[in-house]
Amino acid sequence: MPRPRKKRRREMKRLPRNLTTLPEFDRQAWPEGLVTRRQLRELGLSPGGHGPVAVLRCKACAYRPDQSCIHPTRAWLYNVELARPKRTPTLAQEWALDRAMAARSTCPECRRRYYFCLPLRTQGVCDACDKGYEPSPDTYMPSAAPVVDQLAA
């Protein structure tokens, strides 16, 4: 039986703040005109091909002003003046996305379109078809097209 491995504590990399890197600001102390990516999205803007102009330091680094923040909780700050409006998809792109989502959420056996993606790779059909029960009507979309009998009578 192999011995359990000892967990090694990762050493914290301490990088001194350098004047050649992006400027860093603490939370609630950055200048006007700089926003995070999430704030850009709320304003209906995108970075527009421009990179970040500053770094928003995490809460843990607020007491170490001489060291650079390397934590994953840091955020990038973008200039609002360089941002562009978000692109809107064309009608053909929206139709293509709707068809792709319909393919992922439609059962090939019962032809119901659900409000969620189905496990088609592993299961192949919806849970109702796989387990043999009737699904509740609030889980799938009612069919918009009327069912037409195509009997050759």
mmCIF file of all heavy atoms in Angstrom, residues 2 5 15 18 22-23 27 35-36 42 48 51 56 79 83 90-91 97 116 120 123 130 135 148 152:
data_model
loop_
_atom_site.group_PDB
_atom_site.id
_atom_site.type_symbol
_atom_site.label_atom_id
_atom_site.label_comp_id
_atom_site.label_asym_id
_atom_site.label_seq_id
_atom_site.Cartn_x
_atom_site.Cartn_y
_atom_site.Cartn_z
ATOM 1 N N PRO A 2 0.683 2.157 -0.936
ATOM 2 C CA PRO A 2 1.555 3.328 -1.000
ATOM 3 C C PRO A 2 1.292 4.291 0.157
ATOM 4 O O PRO A 2 0.194 4.366 0.702
ATOM 5 C CB PRO A 2 1.184 3.969 -2.335
ATOM 6 C CG PRO A 2 -0.181 3.494 -2.624
ATOM 7 C CD PRO A 2 -0.283 2.142 -2.011
ATOM 8 N N ARG A 5 0.853 10.926 0.365
ATOM 9 C CA ARG A 5 1.781 12.022 0.091
ATOM 10 C C ARG A 5 1.546 13.165 1.053
ATOM 11 O O ARG A 5 0.410 13.454 1.425
ATOM 12 C CB ARG A 5 1.590 12.540 -1.329
ATOM 13 C CG ARG A 5 1.925 11.532 -2.365
ATOM 14 C CD ARG A 5 1.647 12.106 -3.699
ATOM 15 N NE ARG A 5 2.867 12.120 -4.472
ATOM 16 C CZ ARG A 5 3.029 12.727 -5.621
ATOM 17 N NH1 ARG A 5 2.045 13.407 -6.137
ATOM 18 N NH2 ARG A 5 4.160 12.671 -6.268
ATOM 19 N N LEU A 15 5.990 39.673 -5.603
ATOM 20 C CA LEU A 15 6.559 40.484 -6.656
ATOM 21 C C LEU A 15 6.529 41.947 -6.237
ATOM 22 O O LEU A 15 5.479 42.455 -5.840
ATOM 23 C CB LEU A 15 5.754 40.313 -7.952
ATOM 24 C CG LEU A 15 5.699 38.903 -8.517
ATOM 25 C CD1 LEU A 15 4.750 38.863 -9.690
ATOM 26 C CD2 LEU A 15 7.073 38.464 -8.942
ATOM 27 N N ASN A 18 6.336 47.382 -9.747
ATOM 28 C CA ASN A 18 7.277 47.952 -10.689
ATOM 29 C C ASN A 18 6.583 49.081 -11.432
ATOM 30 O O ASN A 18 5.383 49.047 -11.679
ATOM 31 C CB ASN A 18 7.725 46.854 -11.664
ATOM 32 C CG ASN A 18 8.945 47.245 -12.437
ATOM 33 O OD1 ASN A 18 9.369 48.394 -12.400
ATOM 34 N ND2 ASN A 18 9.516 46.298 -13.135
ATOM 35 N N LEU A 22 1.267 47.763 -15.263
ATOM 36 C CA LEU A 22 0.074 48.596 -15.194
ATOM 37 C C LEU A 22 -0.081 49.187 -13.795
ATOM 38 O O LEU A 22 0.267 48.540 -12.803
ATOM 39 C CB LEU A 22 -1.159 47.762 -15.527
ATOM 40 C CG LEU A 22 -1.277 47.259 -16.954
ATOM 41 C CD1 LEU A 22 -2.478 46.341 -17.078
ATOM 42 C CD2 LEU A 22 -1.388 48.402 -17.920
ATOM 43 N N PRO A 23 -0.628 50.384 -13.690
ATOM 44 C CA PRO A 23 -0.848 50.948 -12.348
ATOM 45 C C PRO A 23 -1.896 50.143 -11.588
ATOM 46 O O PRO A 23 -2.815 49.593 -12.176
ATOM 47 C CB PRO A 23 -1.341 52.366 -12.636
ATOM 48 C CG PRO A 23 -1.791 52.363 -14.032
ATOM 49 C CD PRO A 23 -1.017 51.305 -14.746
ATOM 50 N N ARG A 27 -9.361 48.872 -3.854
ATOM 51 C CA ARG A 27 -10.809 48.943 -4.025
ATOM 52 C C ARG A 27 -11.328 50.251 -3.453
ATOM 53 O O ARG A 27 -10.852 50.738 -2.449
ATOM 54 C CB ARG A 27 -11.483 47.757 -3.338
ATOM 55 C CG ARG A 27 -10.975 46.466 -3.929
ATOM 56 C CD ARG A 27 -11.969 45.364 -3.784
ATOM 57 N NE ARG A 27 -11.445 44.192 -4.461
ATOM 58 C CZ ARG A 27 -11.936 43.730 -5.588
ATOM 59 N NH1 ARG A 27 -12.933 44.309 -6.158
ATOM 60 N NH2 ARG A 27 -11.407 42.661 -6.143
ATOM 61 N N VAL A 35 -13.471 51.510 -15.327
ATOM 62 C CA VAL A 35 -14.484 50.574 -14.844
ATOM 63 C C VAL A 35 -14.026 49.146 -15.126
ATOM 64 O O VAL A 35 -13.164 48.908 -15.972
ATOM 65 C CB VAL A 35 -15.860 50.824 -15.509
ATOM 66 C CG1 VAL A 35 -16.446 52.141 -15.080
ATOM 67 C CG2 VAL A 35 -15.770 50.739 -17.007
ATOM 68 N N THR A 36 -14.629 48.198 -14.419
ATOM 69 C CA THR A 36 -14.328 46.792 -14.651
ATOM 70 C C THR A 36 -15.116 46.292 -15.854
ATOM 71 O O THR A 36 -15.990 46.979 -16.378
ATOM 72 C CB THR A 36 -14.698 45.954 -13.417
ATOM 73 O OG1 THR A 36 -16.102 46.066 -13.198
ATOM 74 C CG2 THR A 36 -13.933 46.401 -12.191
ATOM 75 N N GLU A 42 -22.712 46.302 -17.991
ATOM 76 C CA GLU A 42 -23.933 46.944 -17.494
ATOM 77 C C GLU A 42 -24.222 48.239 -18.242
ATOM 78 O O GLU A 42 -25.378 48.625 -18.386
ATOM 79 C CB GLU A 42 -23.807 47.220 -15.999
ATOM 80 C CG GLU A 42 -23.865 45.977 -15.142
ATOM 81 C CD GLU A 42 -23.534 46.258 -13.690
ATOM 82 O OE1 GLU A 42 -23.257 47.426 -13.346
ATOM 83 O OE2 GLU A 42 -23.558 45.295 -12.903
ATOM 84 N N GLY A 48 -13.736 47.129 -26.825
ATOM 85 C CA GLY A 48 -13.482 47.664 -28.155
ATOM 86 C C GLY A 48 -12.094 47.376 -28.682
ATOM 87 O O GLY A 48 -11.546 48.178 -29.428
ATOM 88 N N GLY A 51 -6.885 46.939 -24.503
ATOM 89 C CA GLY A 51 -6.569 46.162 -23.322
ATOM 90 C C GLY A 51 -6.837 46.952 -22.056
ATOM 91 O O GLY A 51 -7.218 48.121 -22.095
ATOM 92 N N LEU A 56 -7.178 46.441 -10.593
ATOM 93 C CA LEU A 56 -7.875 46.665 -9.333
ATOM 94 C C LEU A 56 -7.422 45.579 -8.377
ATOM 95 O O LEU A 56 -7.672 44.397 -8.596
ATOM 96 C CB LEU A 56 -9.381 46.614 -9.556
ATOM 97 C CG LEU A 56 -10.259 46.879 -8.345
ATOM 98 C CD1 LEU A 56 -10.024 48.287 -7.833
ATOM 99 C CD2 LEU A 56 -11.707 46.697 -8.713
ATOM 100 N N ASN A 79 -10.775 51.772 -19.730
ATOM 101 C CA ASN A 79 -11.120 53.169 -19.912
ATOM 102 C C ASN A 79 -12.482 53.258 -20.606
ATOM 103 O O ASN A 79 -12.684 52.664 -21.663
ATOM 104 C CB ASN A 79 -10.045 53.866 -20.749
ATOM 105 C CG ASN A 79 -10.146 55.348 -20.676
ATOM 106 O OD1 ASN A 79 -11.146 55.898 -20.241
ATOM 107 N ND2 ASN A 79 -9.090 56.015 -21.098
ATOM 108 N N ALA A 83 -14.016 52.610 -24.820
ATOM 109 C CA ALA A 83 -14.965 51.517 -25.018
ATOM 110 C C ALA A 83 -15.919 51.829 -26.162
ATOM 111 O O ALA A 83 -16.186 52.986 -26.480
ATOM 112 C CB ALA A 83 -15.743 51.272 -23.726
ATOM 113 N N THR A 90 -27.006 39.869 -35.865
ATOM 114 C CA THR A 90 -27.942 40.022 -36.973
ATOM 115 C C THR A 90 -29.083 39.022 -36.804
ATOM 116 O O THR A 90 -29.008 38.108 -35.975
ATOM 117 C CB THR A 90 -27.247 39.779 -38.321
ATOM 118 O OG1 THR A 90 -26.796 38.419 -38.364
ATOM 119 C CG2 THR A 90 -26.080 40.723 -38.507
ATOM 120 N N LEU A 91 -30.124 39.191 -37.583
ATOM 121 C CA LEU A 91 -31.263 38.294 -37.497
ATOM 122 C C LEU A 91 -30.865 36.870 -37.878
ATOM 123 O O LEU A 91 -31.309 35.896 -37.254
ATOM 124 C CB LEU A 91 -32.377 38.798 -38.415
ATOM 125 C CG LEU A 91 -33.744 38.183 -38.216
ATOM 126 C CD1 LEU A 91 -34.208 38.382 -36.785
ATOM 127 C CD2 LEU A 91 -34.737 38.780 -39.175
ATOM 128 N N LEU A 97 -28.491 30.689 -33.752
ATOM 129 C CA LEU A 97 -28.372 30.351 -32.334
ATOM 130 C C LEU A 97 -29.634 29.650 -31.827
ATOM 131 O O LEU A 97 -29.559 28.710 -31.038
ATOM 132 C CB LEU A 97 -28.100 31.605 -31.512
ATOM 133 C CG LEU A 97 -26.709 32.197 -31.650
ATOM 134 C CD1 LEU A 97 -26.627 33.535 -30.931
ATOM 135 C CD2 LEU A 97 -25.673 31.247 -31.109
ATOM 136 N N PHE A 116 -34.573 23.387 -21.020
ATOM 137 C CA PHE A 116 -33.192 23.121 -20.616
ATOM 138 C C PHE A 116 -32.563 22.174 -21.628
ATOM 139 O O PHE A 116 -33.250 21.559 -22.433
ATOM 140 C CB PHE A 116 -33.143 22.513 -19.207
ATOM 141 C CG PHE A 116 -34.081 21.350 -19.013
ATOM 142 C CD1 PHE A 116 -33.676 20.064 -19.325
ATOM 143 C CD2 PHE A 116 -35.365 21.546 -18.547
ATOM 144 C CE1 PHE A 116 -34.530 18.998 -19.164
ATOM 145 C CE2 PHE A 116 -36.227 20.479 -18.384
ATOM 146 C CZ PHE A 116 -35.814 19.189 -18.686
ATOM 147 N N LEU A 120 -28.304 14.408 -24.436
ATOM 148 C CA LEU A 120 -28.408 13.640 -25.677
ATOM 149 C C LEU A 120 -27.169 12.802 -25.952
ATOM 150 O O LEU A 120 -27.260 11.761 -26.594
ATOM 151 C CB LEU A 120 -28.693 14.581 -26.846
ATOM 152 C CG LEU A 120 -30.023 15.337 -26.753
ATOM 153 C CD1 LEU A 120 -30.166 16.285 -27.922
ATOM 154 C CD2 LEU A 120 -31.175 14.366 -26.705
ATOM 155 N N GLN A 123 -27.542 9.927 -22.842
ATOM 156 C CA GLN A 123 -28.811 9.231 -22.722
ATOM 157 C C GLN A 123 -29.510 9.076 -24.066
ATOM 158 O O GLN A 123 -30.180 8.089 -24.306
ATOM 159 C CB GLN A 123 -29.691 10.026 -21.746
ATOM 160 C CG GLN A 123 -30.795 9.270 -21.117
ATOM 161 C CD GLN A 123 -31.359 10.060 -19.961
ATOM 162 O OE1 GLN A 123 -30.626 10.498 -19.090
ATOM 163 N NE2 GLN A 123 -32.654 10.249 -19.956
ATOM 164 N N ASP A 130 -36.925 8.147 -21.522
ATOM 165 C CA ASP A 130 -36.009 7.125 -21.033
ATOM 166 C C ASP A 130 -36.612 6.324 -19.888
ATOM 167 O O ASP A 130 -36.489 5.103 -19.837
ATOM 168 C CB ASP A 130 -34.705 7.784 -20.580
ATOM 169 C CG ASP A 130 -33.635 6.784 -20.245
ATOM 170 O OD1 ASP A 130 -33.438 5.846 -21.047
ATOM 171 O OD2 ASP A 130 -32.991 6.926 -19.185
ATOM 172 N N PRO A 135 -43.962 13.952 -18.732
ATOM 173 C CA PRO A 135 -43.351 15.121 -18.074
ATOM 174 C C PRO A 135 -44.406 16.165 -17.731
ATOM 175 O O PRO A 135 -45.478 16.221 -18.316
ATOM 176 C CB PRO A 135 -42.391 15.645 -19.143
ATOM 177 C CG PRO A 135 -42.987 15.221 -20.413
ATOM 178 C CD PRO A 135 -43.656 13.905 -20.144
ATOM 179 N N VAL A 148 -50.968 18.056 -37.819
ATOM 180 C CA VAL A 148 -51.788 17.770 -38.983
ATOM 181 C C VAL A 148 -51.687 16.276 -39.281
ATOM 182 O O VAL A 148 -50.595 15.726 -39.373
ATOM 183 C CB VAL A 148 -51.307 18.609 -40.200
ATOM 184 C CG1 VAL A 148 -52.131 18.272 -41.421
ATOM 185 C CG2 VAL A 148 -51.349 20.076 -39.874
ATOM 186 N N ALA A 152 -53.144 8.857 -45.700
ATOM 187 C CA ALA A 152 -53.453 8.761 -47.114
ATOM 188 C C ALA A 152 -54.823 8.134 -47.300
ATOM 189 O O ALA A 152 -54.990 7.062 -47.849
ATOM 190 C CB ALA A 152 -52.385 7.947 -47.841
#
